[in-house]
């Protein structure tokens, strides 16, 4: 597991998520903590590409175009964040997120928003937390585990359309 930082290239594929040369460590996989910094060519997740990574951080001035795809985040970084988007970062296109790792935090403060969020943890007792208020453009689905809006203090959760909670799953507000 290591940090894999977006560099963006000049090869004609400078925005392609799935081009190894655009990354410091090749195309990210489930072992990578992915970092999107402020660079000239922002990453776009190619149509039909639904990557799995360890964690996602979008830094100051960084931008990620989800292009209608889903990123599965299967764990958290060394600071316990599965998703960390700073206030001056941007999510464009339609970005869907699925979290599967236990004990992680979500901090999404950027411009734009997560389209759909699915919480699908390993067991009904595994927990994922909000670290700051969160707005989801469309749907929140909790298929397994606990999604807790109260990490260290109560956090507002705004869902644009629908909340679905499977039998045995929990939303703690």
């Amino acid at each position: 597991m290591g940090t894999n930082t977006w560099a963006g290239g000049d090869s004609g594929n400078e925005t392609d998520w799935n081009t190894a040369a655009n990354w410091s460590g090749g195309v990210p996989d489930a072992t990578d903590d992915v970092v999107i910094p402020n660079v000239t060519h922002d990453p776009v997740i190619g149509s039909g590409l639904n990557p799995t990574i360890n964690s996602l951080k979008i830094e100051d001035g960084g931008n990620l175009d989800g292009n209608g795809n889903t990123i599965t985040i299967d764990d958290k970084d060394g600071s316990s964040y599965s998703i960390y988007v700073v206030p001056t970062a941007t999510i464009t296109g339609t970005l869907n997120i699925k979290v599967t790792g236990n004990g992680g935090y979500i901090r999404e403060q950027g411009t734009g928003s997560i389209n759909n969020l699915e919480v699908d943890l390993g067991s009904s007792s595994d927990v994922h937390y909000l670290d700051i208020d969160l707005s989801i453009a469309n749907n929140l689905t909790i298929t397994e585990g606990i999604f807790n809006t109260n990490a260290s203090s109560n956090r507002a959760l705004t869902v644009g359309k629908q909340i679905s909670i499977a039998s045995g799953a929990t939303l703690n507000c």
Side-chain angles (χ1 to χ4, degrees):
M1 178 183 346
T3 300
N4 196 346
T5 303
W6 174 260
D10 292 321
S11 66
N13 295 317
E14 63 272 356
T15 63
D16 184 7
W17 176 283
N18 217 30
T19 298
N22 290 339
W23 295 97
S24 64
V27 177
D29 63 26
T31 65
D32 289 318
D33 294 319
V34 169
V35 176
I36 310 293
N38 183 3
V39 294
T40 302
H41 303 288
D42 299 319
V44 177
I45 301 172
S47 181
L49 180 66
N50 295 301
T52 298
I53 59 176
N54 193 66
S55 68
L56 174 64
K57 181 176 186 181
I58 306 176
E59 294 182 332
D60 181 30
N63 178 45
L64 174 60
D65 184 342
N67 195 29
N69 297 290
T70 300
I71 293 180
T72 298
I73 299 174
D74 69 356
D75 207 352
K76 55 191 176 277
D77 65 14
S79 298
S80 294
Y81 286 97
S82 57
I83 305 166
Y84 194 105
V85 182
V86 302
T88 55
T90 305
I91 295 173
T92 56
T94 300
L95 178 63
N96 302 306
I97 301 282
K98 178 179 181 178
V99 292
T100 61
N102 182 38
Y105 290 86
I106 295 173
R107 176 177 281 248
E108 198 280 293
Q109 303 171 274
T111 303
S113 65
I114 296 169
N115 183 56
N116 294 310
L117 176 64
E118 180 181 355
V119 178
D120 186 6
L121 307 178
S123 78
S124 61
S125 62
D126 287 350
V127 183
H128 220 81
Y129 302 91
L130 283 187
D131 186 46
I132 197 157
D133 298 350
L134 177 66
S135 290
I136 300 168
N138 281 309
N139 303 314
L140 169 63
T141 303
I142 306 169
T143 55
E144 186 173 26
I146 301 165
F147 189 48
N148 192 340
T149 64
N150 186 5
S152 58
S153 60
N154 291 323
R155 303 295 180 196
L157 173 64
T158 304
V159 178
K161 290 195 177 174
Q162 182 175 332
I163 298 173
S164 301
I165 305 170
S167 177
T170 306
L171 173 60
N172 283 339
C173 297

